[in-house]
Amino acid sequence: GARVLATSKPSAMRALRAVSCIVTPSARVERGRTCDAVSGRSIAIPRSWTRPVAKIRHLETRTKCSSRSISQSPPSNTQRTRRSRVVPSALPETVFSIGTVAVLPLYGAMIAAPNSAITKRAMRSCVPFAVMGSLYFVAMAATVQSVEIQALVKTFITGVLTSGDFIGKWLTFVSACFGTATTAASGWLHLLSLDLFVARHVYLDGLETKVPSAHSLILCCMFGPCGFLAHVLTKTVWDKVRR
């Protein structure tokens, strides 16, 4: 342990010099001893005098460690949730454009070259519908993560529980959803996929029954049910003409 300094004048001077050495940058405190700033001799100081300095150094070390841990800490769950809900603004437009451009060559091939081997192989394959299904999945994922859609869902549920009018609130909810870009893109891809499926049936049935289907396929390109109805009528009339 450190020796208690005497109360004599030389001892008091040594104590003052020891304290000045503690607070000066050039002083070194090791095991309760320090150096005299004037003579350079080693002086024993009370341990109670070094405790404030050691405490300050300990606090400085803890502050540095805590600041490093805070700066390197991973993001919280709230921050991750907010980031995950952010939908790129160009995503709905991208899937909308890809889906629209993807179906046009197929309609062109069915109308302009129905007897081509490439057209028959393409329309009998499931690849076009797998592509459209993938695009639709991406669009629906973006729709579910949209903050606007989540707010509309909460409003719809609250309105149904309050008024009990499911049909009226559902119509309002659907019309409001199609006012957003993500829902409009997913709805468009849904219509393109269904219209292409109807057009495929009309095309293959026209090849099998040898019924003209070009006009029906043109209608299927934008109005799938109308194209199917046109094919049924054409097939009925064509059978009567053959007889």
Short mmCIF file of all heavy atoms in Angstrom, two decimals, residues 49 52-53 61 97 125 156 163 181 183 217 219 222 243:
data_model
loop_
_atom_site.label_atom_id
_atom_site.label_comp_id
_atom_site.label_asym_id
_atom_site.label_seq_id
_atom_site.Cartn_x
_atom_site.Cartn_y
_atom_site.Cartn_z
N TRP A 49 -5.88 9.55 -3.29
CA TRP A 49 -5.65 10.64 -4.23
C TRP A 49 -5.70 10.16 -5.67
O TRP A 49 -6.02 10.92 -6.57
CB TRP A 49 -4.29 11.30 -3.95
CG TRP A 49 -4.26 12.05 -2.65
CD1 TRP A 49 -5.14 11.95 -1.63
CD2 TRP A 49 -3.27 12.98 -2.26
NE1 TRP A 49 -4.80 12.77 -0.60
CE2 TRP A 49 -3.62 13.43 -0.95
CE3 TRP A 49 -2.11 13.47 -2.83
CZ2 TRP A 49 -2.88 14.34 -0.25
CZ3 TRP A 49 -1.36 14.40 -2.13
CH2 TRP A 49 -1.73 14.83 -0.85
N PRO A 52 -9.70 9.28 -7.87
CA PRO A 52 -10.43 10.11 -8.85
C PRO A 52 -9.87 10.03 -10.26
O PRO A 52 -10.62 9.98 -11.24
CB PRO A 52 -10.32 11.52 -8.28
CG PRO A 52 -10.08 11.31 -6.82
CD PRO A 52 -9.25 10.08 -6.72
N VAL A 53 -8.55 10.00 -10.38
CA VAL A 53 -7.93 9.91 -11.71
C VAL A 53 -8.24 8.57 -12.36
O VAL A 53 -8.60 8.48 -13.54
CB VAL A 53 -6.42 10.13 -11.62
CG1 VAL A 53 -5.77 10.02 -12.99
CG2 VAL A 53 -6.12 11.48 -10.99
N THR A 61 -12.86 5.12 -20.70
CA THR A 61 -12.77 3.84 -21.41
C THR A 61 -14.16 3.26 -21.68
O THR A 61 -14.45 2.78 -22.77
CB THR A 61 -11.93 2.84 -20.59
OG1 THR A 61 -10.66 3.42 -20.31
CG2 THR A 61 -11.75 1.54 -21.37
N SER A 97 -44.45 -3.20 -68.08
CA SER A 97 -43.89 -3.13 -69.43
C SER A 97 -43.45 -4.50 -69.93
O SER A 97 -43.70 -4.86 -71.09
CB SER A 97 -42.70 -2.16 -69.44
OG SER A 97 -43.08 -0.87 -69.01
N SER A 125 -46.60 -25.05 -75.14
CA SER A 125 -45.67 -25.07 -74.01
C SER A 125 -46.26 -24.29 -72.84
O SER A 125 -47.14 -23.43 -72.99
CB SER A 125 -44.33 -24.48 -74.43
OG SER A 125 -43.47 -24.34 -73.32
N PHE A 156 -60.81 -0.67 -44.67
CA PHE A 156 -61.88 -1.59 -45.08
C PHE A 156 -62.37 -2.43 -43.90
O PHE A 156 -63.59 -2.57 -43.68
CB PHE A 156 -61.37 -2.48 -46.21
CG PHE A 156 -62.26 -3.65 -46.51
CD1 PHE A 156 -63.50 -3.46 -47.12
CD2 PHE A 156 -61.89 -4.94 -46.18
CE1 PHE A 156 -64.33 -4.53 -47.40
CE2 PHE A 156 -62.70 -6.01 -46.45
CZ PHE A 156 -63.93 -5.80 -47.06
N SER A 163 -70.00 -0.61 -39.84
CA SER A 163 -71.30 -0.50 -40.51
C SER A 163 -71.92 -1.85 -40.84
O SER A 163 -73.14 -1.97 -40.95
CB SER A 163 -71.15 0.32 -41.79
OG SER A 163 -70.28 -0.35 -42.71
N ALA A 181 -50.42 2.41 -58.13
CA ALA A 181 -49.64 1.87 -59.26
C ALA A 181 -49.37 0.38 -59.10
O ALA A 181 -49.41 -0.38 -60.08
CB ALA A 181 -48.33 2.63 -59.40
N THR A 183 -51.15 -1.99 -57.48
CA THR A 183 -52.34 -2.80 -57.72
C THR A 183 -52.75 -2.76 -59.18
O THR A 183 -53.19 -3.76 -59.75
CB THR A 183 -53.50 -2.30 -56.86
OG1 THR A 183 -53.07 -2.21 -55.50
CG2 THR A 183 -54.67 -3.25 -56.93
N LEU A 217 -58.97 -14.15 -82.04
CA LEU A 217 -57.72 -13.89 -81.34
C LEU A 217 -57.46 -12.40 -81.17
O LEU A 217 -56.89 -11.98 -80.16
CB LEU A 217 -56.56 -14.54 -82.09
CG LEU A 217 -56.55 -16.08 -82.09
CD1 LEU A 217 -55.48 -16.61 -83.03
CD2 LEU A 217 -56.35 -16.60 -80.68
N LEU A 219 -59.78 -10.17 -80.70
CA LEU A 219 -60.61 -9.78 -79.56
C LEU A 219 -60.04 -10.30 -78.24
O LEU A 219 -60.12 -9.61 -77.21
CB LEU A 219 -62.03 -10.31 -79.76
CG LEU A 219 -62.87 -9.62 -80.84
CD1 LEU A 219 -64.22 -10.34 -81.00
CD2 LEU A 219 -63.09 -8.16 -80.49
N MET A 222 -57.42 -8.09 -76.08
CA MET A 222 -57.83 -7.07 -75.11
C MET A 222 -59.10 -7.46 -74.35
O MET A 222 -59.28 -7.06 -73.21
CB MET A 222 -58.07 -5.74 -75.83
CG MET A 222 -56.80 -5.09 -76.35
SD MET A 222 -55.63 -4.69 -75.06
CE MET A 222 -56.56 -3.49 -74.13
N ARG A 243 -72.26 -28.24 -93.37
CA ARG A 243 -73.33 -29.21 -93.63
C ARG A 243 -74.12 -28.83 -94.89
O ARG A 243 -74.62 -29.67 -95.58
CB ARG A 243 -74.26 -29.26 -92.41
CG ARG A 243 -73.61 -29.87 -91.20
CD ARG A 243 -74.55 -29.80 -90.01
NE ARG A 243 -73.88 -30.27 -88.78
CZ ARG A 243 -74.45 -30.26 -87.58
NH1 ARG A 243 -75.69 -29.79 -87.44
NH2 ARG A 243 -73.80 -30.69 -86.54
#
